[in-house]
Amino acid sequence: MKITLLTGKTYNIEQKFAFPLKIIKSARARKLTLRIDTKERMAVLTLPRYCAQKKAVEFVTHHQEWIKSSLAQIPAAKSFQNGDKISLFGQEVTISHEPSRRLGAKQENTKLIVSGEKEFINRRVKDYIKKKAAEEFGKRARRYAKKLGVKIHGITIKDTKSRWGSCSTLNNLNFSWRVALAPNYVIDYLMAHEVSHLVHHDHSPNFWQTVKSLNADYEKGEKWLKDHGKELYSYE
């Protein structure tokens, strides 16, 4: 297979590993290390600056059973399909494909109706969630911001797999659309978390105290993301 460096340089490796592998060369690395990127579904090998290609291949070969086992435990990739029951902003809804309707995607009570051809279901459901997430997350986040006496300049919904949310120095908040699929208390925790960063740009004790002042049960939401976040990341 081909092993690609973060720099973009590609090598043809003689050994044929039956799994995706990314190699990162780091000037700070003192030894070869391996980790599993559950979001990108691949093994990541970090190399010191000076490391022979043969040594890297031998290292991966030695650990390939662990890699295969770890990758096998990652939930399979998902797409939204007709009949799926999903949690949407804390409410269980059923995706209902009605091709003759001309509405794109629209929620009616406990149904998320999707029109058009079958192959467009996944994309239209995601587009709907992203649009509604901007509205719902904005409403909840601004409610918390008002309590702290701070202002949010903007909210952006992203398709990230590296973090659930972030806060910029310009008071802009960013959220992954997949958070909309989490339980209600998890959504509220994440809104409180990022809004608290408008006051504390770190994870100091004062930061967590601010989070708690907005969401007393925040630890429950934090734990859910740690335990079940990979299930949300499985949606492509």
Side-chain angles (χ1 to χ4, degrees):
M1 69 173 291
K2 289 183 178 181
I3 294 185
T4 305
L5 296 178
L6 194 63
T7 59
K9 190 174 182 180
T10 301
Y11 293 88
N12 289 310
I13 303 300
E14 185 178 350
Q15 280 80 356
K16 303 295 183 181
F17 299 117
F19 45 79
L21 175 69
K22 181 168 70 175
I23 296 180
I24 300 175
K25 271 198 172 182
S26 171
R28 293 178 295 178
R30 295 185 177 182
K31 61 181 181 178
L32 291 159
T33 60
L34 270 169
R35 66 180 177 86
I36 301 298
D37 188 328
T38 58
K39 303 176 184 66
E40 298 298 331
R41 301 171 183 277
M42 65 172 59
V44 180
L45 173 66
T46 301
L47 303 175
R49 176 178 292 178
Y50 303 105
C51 180
Q53 182 173 306
K54 181 181 178 181
K55 183 178 181 180
V57 172
E58 290 175 346
F59 185 76
V60 175
T61 301
H62 180 71
H63 292 90
Q64 63 179 334
E65 293 306 316
W66 171 79
I67 294 172
K68 291 178 183 178
S69 175
S70 298
L71 291 174
Q73 295 177 38
I74 301 175
K78 297 178 183 178
S79 61
F80 297 107
Q81 303 292 336
N82 179 44
D84 285 355
K85 293 183 182 296
I86 62 174
S87 175
L88 197 55
F89 308 108
Q91 178 185 16
E92 184 180 86
V93 299
T94 302
I95 297 173
S96 178
H97 182 217
E98 299 184 19
S100 62
R101 301 280 294 271
R102 294 184 179 277
L103 43 70
K106 180 181 179 181
Q107 185 173 344
E108 295 182 357
N109 298 318
T110 59
K111 282 187 178 182
L112 179 55
I113 299 172
V114 185
S115 64
E117 299 299 323
K118 182 179 180 180
E119 57 264 32
F120 299 135
I121 293 176
N122 187 60
R123 177 176 61 79
R124 288 186 169 176
V125 170
K126 286 199 299 182
D127 288 346
Y128 175 83
I129 293 174
K130 291 175 183 177
K131 179 182 177 181
K132 290 299 179 181
E135 299 173 6
E136 185 64 24
F137 293 173
K139 180 176 66 177
R140 298 191 191 197
R142 288 187 173 89
R143 184 173 66 241
Y144 284 141
K146 185 177 181 179
K147 289 183 178 180
L148 296 181
V150 294
K151 289 186 177 181
I152 299 170
H153 288 170
I155 290 179
T156 303
I157 305 302
K158 296 189 173 183
D159 192 8
T160 58
K161 285 192 174 183
S162 59
R163 55 177 62 185
W164 298 113
S166 62
C167 174
S168 76
T169 55
L170 298 177
N171 284 20
N172 293 313
L173 303 185
N174 306 301
F175 297 103
S176 168
W177 66 267
R178 294 173 179 83
V179 175
L181 303 172
N184 219 23
Y185 66 87
V186 177
I187 298 174
D188 285 338
Y189 153 66
L190 191 63
M191 299 302 110
H193 184 116
E194 297 307 329
V195 168
S196 294
H197 277 311
L198 297 173
V199 180
H200 303 286
H201 298 284
D202 53 29
H203 288 96
S204 63
N206 286 337
F207 164 79
W208 288 111
Q209 189 59 43
T210 301
V211 175
K212 187 175 183 179
S213 72
L214 296 176
N215 189 290
D217 204 22
Y218 77 91
E219 291 178 329
K220 181 181 177 183
E222 183 185 27
K223 184 178 186 304
W224 191 97
L225 280 178
K226 289 180 179 178
D227 293 343
H228 303 284
K230 61 184 179 181
E231 298 169 16
L232 300 188
Y233 278 129
S234 67
Y235 281 97
E236 300 290 345

